[in-house]
């Protein structure tokens, strides 16, 4: 789903959200990444932070330097440039998963797949890191083929540790800290995307690529 | 050089500074004081404050082992005793070695801060000493027995706190319609603005759950939404219709519908409410809210 004139919405009195879609798609995701890229290369005075999401971009701004209306105008001016911007060469990384999660049987049953078929489909293609930011180092990776799409669980698991592999909404996510989650827990990995001792604590950023393999 | 020993600390006593800004994409909200205005006032009362503050909730007792140490306390209304003798809140005082400071809850408020003419020795994480309770990093949660070593503050000082100061007012908590305002039925939006909500005791630095006695959000259909950015002050409606106001240690992205966002000028006041207090909401334009920032 593609929206060439995104909605520009206030989020409180010092942040703005540019929303490209209400349903996740790779096209909307790349529009968001493109706008974030342009906003970083052609900065607007008064913008303090730019954070791309799954299909939107957050701009945190200093309202005493720039007001919402003028900022919206500056963003609109940059939208056409965002269509053509070259994104940086993605980092590529491979992560091995142990498919031992407690929700794996329920996932297989919901999708009507046996474990080998599921793992084959899950690992078949290299995925894009669609977004970061839900929790420290958390990555959303997608999108999987339709055959692997299923909703979140109806209940929230109060705590899963770092290195948990989550599955829902056509995506695989990897935790880097302990968090609650309503996604299905399908496995574990030794890859974590957060190191607070580094100036940039992330290894993978939105737009990077990840290939999942089955741990031996 | 000064040395402080924590004799007793309420829950959620933490080190905070001016926040860990710029790391939303890494999954970290900025944290920082729950009452920015109080932090700014406390820092402003000292000639050369250190950057790191102690934020406390239900009370705090400390002893100065080595001193002297000048400190300033602000936020809410707390009851103070120094060596057993009543003192004023807000507080400005120079402790000498052996002095005991005891702070207990007073008639109003939830969060207090202490600023010091000295820099608390703690290692910044990602450029900040602010404790992020959801991510478990930064300064620390303080407990009885902990010691704080204070060094002379750096030349640059803490600078200006980045959040706008609040102009204190009474009356409704003002909000800007949020990312998903349009997804709520007009009648429900009208009832949101006409109905009282009560602060519950399920609250911390991440969020404050509200009781909804008029059942404004009863029967809200669980909306399946794409995760979108979250800011402090967002009022999100959980799947079973519970409103929760996200606070300084919020997660940066979320998938629950966000009805409205409390404006900067009223968020400190909201943070200082107590369980059982009733609040009402009123909408305001983003332009009007910006004009309220000092």
């Amino acid at each position: 789903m593609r929206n060439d004139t995104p909605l520009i919405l206030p989020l409180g009195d010092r942040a703005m959200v540019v929303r490209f879609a209400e349903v996740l798609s790779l096209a909307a995701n790349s529009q968001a990444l493109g706008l974030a890229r342009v906003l970083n290369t052609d900065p607007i005075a008064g913008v303090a932070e730019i954070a791309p999401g799954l299909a939107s971009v957050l701009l945190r701004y200093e309202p005493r330097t720039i007001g919402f209306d003028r900022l919206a105008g500056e963003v609109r001016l940059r939208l056409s440039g965002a269509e053509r911007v070259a994104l940086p060469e993605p980092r590529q990384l491979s992560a091995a998963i142990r498919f031992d999660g407690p929700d794996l049987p329920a996932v297989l049953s919901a999708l009507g797949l046996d474990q080998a078929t599921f793992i084959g489909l899950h690992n078949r293609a290299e995925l894009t890191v669609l977004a970061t930011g839900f929790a420290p180092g958390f990555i959303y990776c997608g999108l999987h083929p339709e055959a692997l799409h299923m909703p979140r669980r109806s209940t929230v698991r109060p705590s899963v540790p770092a290195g948990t592999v989550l599955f829902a909404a056509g995506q695989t996510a990897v935790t880097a800290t302990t968090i609650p989650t309503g996604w299905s827990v399908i496995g574990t990995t030794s890859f974590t995307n957060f190191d607070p001792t580094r100036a940039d604590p992330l290894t993978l950023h939105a737009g990077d690529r990840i290939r999942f393999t089955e741990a031996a | 050089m000064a040395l402080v020993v924590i004799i007793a600390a309420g829950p959620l006593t933490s080190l905070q500074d001016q926040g860990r800004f710029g790391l939303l994409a890494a999954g970290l909200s900025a944290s920082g004081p729950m009452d920015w205005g109080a932090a700014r006032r406390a820092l402003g009362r000292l000639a050369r404050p250190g950057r790191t503050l102690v934020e406390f909730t239900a009370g705090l007792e400390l002893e100065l082992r080595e001193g002297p140490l000048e400190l300033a306390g602000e936020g809410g209304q707390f009851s103070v005793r120094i060596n057993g003798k009543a003192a004023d809140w807000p507080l400005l005082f120079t402790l000498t070695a052996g002095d005991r400071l005891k702070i207990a809850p007073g008639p109003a408020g939830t969060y207090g801060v202490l600023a010091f003419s000295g820099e608390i020795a703690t290692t910044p994480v990602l450029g900040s000493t602010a404790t992020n309770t959801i991510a478990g990093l930064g300064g620390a949660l303080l407990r009885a027995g902990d010691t704080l070593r204070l060094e002379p503050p750096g030349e640059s000082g803490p600078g200006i706190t980045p959040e706008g100061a609040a102009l204190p007012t009474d009356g409704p908590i003002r909000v800007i319609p949020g990312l998903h305002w349009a997804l709520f039925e007009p009648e429900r939006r009208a009832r949101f603005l006409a109905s009282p909500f009560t602060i519950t005791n399920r609250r911390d630095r991440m969020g404050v759950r509200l009781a909804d006695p008029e059942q404004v959000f009863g029967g809200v259909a669980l909306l399946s939404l794409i995760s979108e950015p979250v800011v402090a002050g967002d009022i999100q409606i959980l799947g079973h219709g519970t409103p929760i106001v996200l606070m300084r240690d919020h997660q940066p992205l979320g998938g629950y519908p966000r009805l409205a966002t409390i404006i900067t000028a009223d968020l400190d006041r909201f943070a200082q409410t107590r369980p059982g207090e009733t609040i009402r909401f009123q909408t305001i334009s983003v332009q009007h809210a910006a004009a309220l920032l000092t």
Side-chain angles (χ1 to χ4, degrees):
Chain A
M1 192 164 298
R2 186 181 173 83
N3 188 343
D4 285 326
T5 51
L7 277 178
I8 298 181
L9 301 161
L11 181 56
D13 53 21
R14 48 209 316 137
M16 167 187 286
V17 168
V18 184
R19 176 192 282 161
F20 287 95
E22 290 176 5
V23 177
L24 177 59
S25 68
L26 290 178
N29 182 251
S30 68
Q31 283 180 302
L33 291 182
L35 178 61
R37 174 79 173 162
V38 167
L39 292 170
N40 278 309
T41 54
D42 183 9
I44 301 168
V47 172
E49 182 166 9
I50 296 149
L54 286 165
S56 62
V57 179
L58 174 79
L59 290 85
R60 197 166 55 74
Y61 64 95
E62 176 42 65
R64 280 160 292 204
T65 305
I66 190 165
F68 179 84
D69 296 329
R70 220 185 94 208
L71 177 57
E74 293 293 329
V75 168
R76 281 191 200 96
L77 283 179
R78 285 158 178 79
L79 280 169
S80 59
E83 292 287 312
R84 300 184 304 273
V85 70
L87 295 174
E89 195 61 30
R91 179 183 284 232
Q92 289 170 302
L93 191 141
S94 162
I97 299 174
R98 279 177 302 281
F99 285 90
D100 56 2
D103 299 326
L104 187 61
V107 168
L108 298 177
S109 156
L111 298 175
L113 299 172
D114 62 53
Q115 182 159 334
T117 309
F118 171 76
I119 293 173
L121 285 169
H122 181 275
N123 293 353
R124 188 164 65 186
E126 190 181 52
L127 298 179
T128 300
V129 176
L130 300 170
T132 56
F134 172 75
F138 187 95
I139 47 173
Y140 297 89
C141 312
L143 286 169
H144 289 299
E146 284 287 341
L148 295 190
H149 285 217
M150 60 179 286
R152 283 176 277 191
R153 283 152 39 87
S154 56
T155 56
V156 171
R157 194 170 256 117
S159 171
V160 297
T164 301
V165 179
L166 306 173
F167 183 76
Q171 298 159 71
T172 293
V174 181
T175 66
T177 54
T178 300
I179 58 162
T181 184
W183 290 32
S184 294
V185 175
I186 62 167
T188 51
T189 175
S190 59
F191 170 67
T192 56
N193 195 38
F194 189 70
D195 178 358
T197 65
R198 296 193 318 227
D200 178 356
L202 300 187
T203 302
L204 291 178
H205 300 81
D208 286 341
R209 312 277 294 167
I210 188 164
R211 178 174 284 282
F212 290 114
T213 60
E214 186 175 11
Chain B
M1 179 77 86
L3 191 66
V4 170
V5 178
I6 307 293
I7 306 295
L12 295 183
T13 301
S14 69
L15 300 182
Q16 297 294 336
D17 67 1
Q18 285 100 77
R20 189 177 288 102
F21 283 92
L23 289 162
L24 293 171
L28 291 169
S29 54
S31 300
M34 293 289 277
D35 183 343
W36 273 99
R40 177 180 278 211
R41 291 193 303 276
L43 291 167
R45 296 188 76 181
L46 302 173
R48 283 186 65 206
R51 67 183 276 181
T52 303
L53 308 144
V54 172
E55 177 180 274
F56 55 89
T57 53
L60 180 66
E61 187 172 359
L62 54 83
E63 182 177 311
L64 190 69
R65 288 282 161 84
E66 295 171 29
L69 177 63
E70 183 189 30
L71 49 78
E74 278 276 1
Q77 294 177 45
F78 286 84
S79 143
V80 186
R81 290 189 171 271
I82 296 169
N83 300 325
K85 190 165 162 259
D88 288 336
W89 186 266
L91 175 71
L92 181 64
F93 196 82
T94 300
L95 298 175
T96 53
D99 282 353
R100 271 208 184 202
L101 171 66
K102 185 171 183 178
I103 303 173
T110 291
Y111 291 94
V113 291
L114 287 180
F116 304 93
S117 287
E119 189 61 69
I120 296 172
T122 181
T123 308
V125 177
L126 293 165
S128 166
T129 59
T131 307
N132 182 323
T133 56
I134 187 173
L137 57 78
L141 286 172
L142 298 178
R143 294 182 179 81
D146 287 348
T147 57
L148 300 175
R149 185 169 296 281
L150 289 105
E151 294 154 356
E155 284 304 310
S156 57
I160 305 285
T161 54
E163 295 287 279
L167 293 172
T169 58
D170 293 325
I173 299 285
R174 292 162 295 180
V175 299
I176 294 170
L179 292 183
H180 306 110
W181 176 262
L183 294 184
F184 289 85
E185 306 92 317
E187 198 238 335
R188 209 186 290 272
R189 300 195 303 242
R191 289 182 63 214
F192 164 67
L193 297 173
S195 304
F197 293 87
T198 311
I199 309 297
T200 71
N201 59 11
R202 296 190 65 183
R203 61 189 188 136
D204 55 23
R205 288 186 47 89
M206 295 173 225
V208 178
R209 282 189 191 226
L210 303 179
D212 175 11
E214 308 275 328
Q215 285 295 295
V216 173
F217 297 106
V220 164
L222 177 62
L223 299 158
S224 183
L225 298 171
I226 186 170
S227 287
E228 288 192 321
V230 170
V231 295
D234 269 355
I235 303 168
Q236 82 176 10
I237 311 300
L238 300 182
H240 44 275
T242 301
I244 178 165
V245 180
L246 297 164
M247 301 301 286
R248 298 291 175 197
D249 290 355
H250 64 88
Q251 62 191 42
L253 285 178
Y256 288 110
R258 254 81 52 60
L259 177 66
T261 306
I262 297 177
I263 66 171
T264 301
D266 285 354
L267 192 55
D268 289 352
R269 180 159 66 96
F270 176 78
Q272 292 289 11
T273 56
R274 287 182 171 182
E277 275 186 51
T278 291
I279 57 169
R280 288 174 182 274
F281 294 104
Q282 180 182 70
T283 46
I284 180 175
S285 73
V286 64
Q287 292 82 3
H288 186 176
L292 295 173
L293 297 172
T294 56

